[in-house]
Amino acid sequence: MSGGRGPAVADIAVVGSGIAATAAVIRLLRQGHDPLWIAPELVAEDIPGEHLSPAARPMLEEIGASGLLAKACHRAEQSVFSAWGSDRLAERSGIVHLEGPGTVLDRSVFERDLRALAIASGAWPVAARLTDVSREDGYWDIEVDDGARIGRSAARFILDGSGRAAVVAGVQAPDHAARFRSDRLVALCAFLPQEQGAAVVPTRATLLETVPDGWWYACLLADGRLVLNFYTDPDLLPREATRTLEPFRALLADTSYVARWVEEAGFRQEAPPNLVSAGTTWLAPAAGEGWAAIGDAAAAFDPLSSHGMTTALWSGIRGAEAAAGSLGGDSAALTVYAEKVAQGVQQFLDSRAAVYGSERRFDGTAFWKRRLAPEIVPEKIHA
Ligand SMILES: Cc1cc2nc3c(=O)[nH]c(=O)nc-3n(C[C@H](O)[C@H](O)[C@H](O)COP(=O)(O)OP(=O)(O)OC[C@H]3O[C@@H](n4cnc5c(N)ncnc54)[C@H](O)[C@@H]3O)c2cc1C
């Protein structure tokens, strides 16, 4: 396959090019393993999700990647202002956190740099997508497709870092794992440049604002563009929301603070927003004999927590250690890992309930009613 050497039979295969898979690959290389890394080329477009929690720093240090944050295209987080549960804006300063401030990333640059670090550490990404996988006699048979050719490899263990697609977990379910969902949150995401010659210096604070059908997030990138996301449920989206500019503009006009900020600083919307899935889903268990899910494949959270990348780093590193431990004869390694993922899910569900529960002005609307009594439903994975 293009771009890689790909050993015929690997101890551990890692699937995905995201933060979880790349962190896992770096961790494995540092432990002396030579993983088979099935890693499609990164897309060149903007990736939503730029706020890196300060809790990620120790994990970046563990894999020798903390230096990646020093580039000028990333910046330190400053204050967060939120109109959440009240008409008034309340401030939380990132600078006074015990862990220090978080980082506002240029997400595409960060992911490219992490991939380059993995390659510099000895990784050989196979630039292809996993198309089929099955397990027999303790070995995974893995089929990959780079768009032109199909190749086959085998591995004793698979780490699934394929994000919400959870391509390996889809094969494991329904016999060995189940996926659950507790909301269907989606995001309309836009990157807005400032008008040329605009006189206003935009604020570097992050802004959150609730509305009857969801909530808004606005954050200035180091390159001067504004990330503007509207979070809602799919059935509450206006028609044509991703086809024309108008529906997003109309939604924005219903805010008190975000619209004023966008207008006063002269940010302009040039294209309709992208629609992405942002719901809360998880696997239980997140690991079993010969496999473990990492990152969003294991547990994907409503981005309110701004911890998705941190969880991806944590589970990539710890999932890699569990995989190596299990192959080395540690029979508890995978169970311990899966239990920690399950604990993280429970902690997230508790804190999500507290945050959404602190907004009671819109109790009568579908979006907020669903968050007051969220259902947990089993879900089929379409791998
Ligand atoms: C709108 C939005 C805003 C967010 N904001 C934040 C934020 O501010 N801060 C934060 O920390 N988190 C945020 N998140 C969450 C964060 O982006 C994710 O938790 C994180 O990207 C998970 O990383 P991952 O590596 O598990 O998965 P992904 O980043 O989804 O990567 C999955 C990888 O798998 C690959 N893949 C898929 N299928 C296959 C296949 N068949 N074969 C091979 N490879 C495959 C993909 O190409 C991709 O490279 C946000 C998420 C959304 C949707």
Side-chain angles (χ1 to χ4, degrees):
M1 302 299 300
S2 67
R5 165 201 51 167
V9 180
D11 267 355
I12 302 175
V14 182
V15 182
S17 306
I19 291 171
T22 314
V25 165
I26 298 173
R27 183 72 189 102
L28 288 170
L29 289 163
R30 289 183 159 223
Q31 278 185 301
H33 291 272
D34 183 17
L36 166 67
W37 185 20
I38 299 157
E41 292 294 352
L42 293 174
V43 287
E45 62 213 38
D46 288 315
I47 306 171
E50 54 294 312
H51 184 270
L52 185 69
S53 156
R57 275 189 185 266
M59 281 166 262
L60 289 174
E61 269 158 31
E62 248 186 85
I63 53 169
S66 52
L68 303 185
L69 302 184
K71 277 193 171 171
C73 59
H74 313 306
R75 69 171 181 87
E77 172 209 0
Q78 291 177 347
S79 305
V80 178
F81 283 89
S82 62
W84 190 294
S86 153
D87 291 339
R88 295 236 188 109
L89 273 185
E91 182 184 3
R92 175 172 64 78
S93 171
I95 296 160
V96 297
H97 278 189
L98 285 178
E99 304 155 295
T103 309
V104 177
L105 295 175
D106 180 322
R107 180 78 186 263
S108 311
V109 171
F110 178 70
E111 295 212 359
R112 277 204 302 276
D113 285 350
L114 200 59
R115 186 180 179 100
L117 179 66
I119 292 169
S121 308
W124 292 80
V126 177
R129 300 184 72 76
L130 183 144
T131 49
D132 199 10
V133 66
S134 57
R135 191 161 187 260
E136 209 174 313
D137 298 332
Y139 284 88
W140 291 95
D141 182 21
I142 302 166
E143 184 182 290
V144 292
D145 178 352
D146 68 3
R149 287 187 299 158
I150 293 188
R152 301 197 92 82
S153 294
R156 291 168 64 206
F157 197 102
I158 291 197
L159 280 167
D160 184 355
S162 63
R164 289 166 182 271
V167 289
V168 181
V171 173
Q172 288 305 293
D175 295 340
H176 302 286
R179 182 144 86 170
F180 297 91
R181 169 178 289 283
S182 83
D183 63 66
R184 297 193 169 277
L185 194 72
V186 290
L188 289 173
C189 305
F191 291 77
L192 277 52
Q194 208 181 5
E195 304 276 0
Q196 276 208 331
V200 176
V201 177
T203 171
R204 288 160 76 89
T206 298
L207 189 56
L208 295 175
E209 181 174 350
T210 55
V211 290
D213 284 347
W215 53 277
W216 286 83
Y217 164 96
C219 177
L220 187 73
L221 296 177
D223 69 8
R225 289 179 304 154
L226 185 74
V227 174
L228 192 56
N229 295 346
F230 176 55
Y231 292 93
T232 188
D233 286 336
D235 59 329
L236 305 176
L237 281 170
R239 290 179 57 146
E240 309 269 291
T242 55
R243 284 172 186 255
T244 61
L245 299 175
E246 274 321 310
F248 195 61
R249 283 192 183 144
L251 288 167
L252 181 62
D254 283 341
T255 63
S256 303
Y257 297 101
V258 183
R260 208 187 309 158
W261 182 13
V262 168
E263 196 176 316
E264 283 173 5
F267 288 110
R268 60 173 199 280
Q269 190 194 345
E270 294 176 327
N274 285 327
L275 181 68
V276 295
S277 173
T280 301
T281 60
W282 65 93
L283 269 182
E289 204 189 323
W291 69 278
I294 54 178
D296 278 6
F301 298 141
D302 169 339
L304 184 61
S305 70
S306 276
H307 267 71
M309 286 186 276
T310 306
T311 307
L313 285 166
W314 175 85
S315 59
I317 296 169
R318 299 293 169 251
E321 289 166 354
S326 135
L327 287 182
D330 178 354
S331 56
L334 294 173
T335 316
V336 170
Y337 169 75
E339 276 169 5
K340 289 206 170 131
V341 173
Q343 279 165 14
V345 170
Q346 194 52 53
Q347 273 168 13
F348 168 77
L349 293 176
D350 292 346
S351 47
R352 185 189 63 168
V355 175
Y356 278 106
S358 67
E359 174 55 272
R360 304 304 301 261
R361 290 173 298 160
F362 311 121
D363 274 6
T365 64
F367 181 87
W368 294 95
K369 246 193 240 169
R370 289 169 188 159
R371 267 102 198 136
L372 279 181
E375 287 185 324
I376 294 180
V377 288
E379 185 185 62
K380 198 166 163 42
I381 306 172
H382 303 285

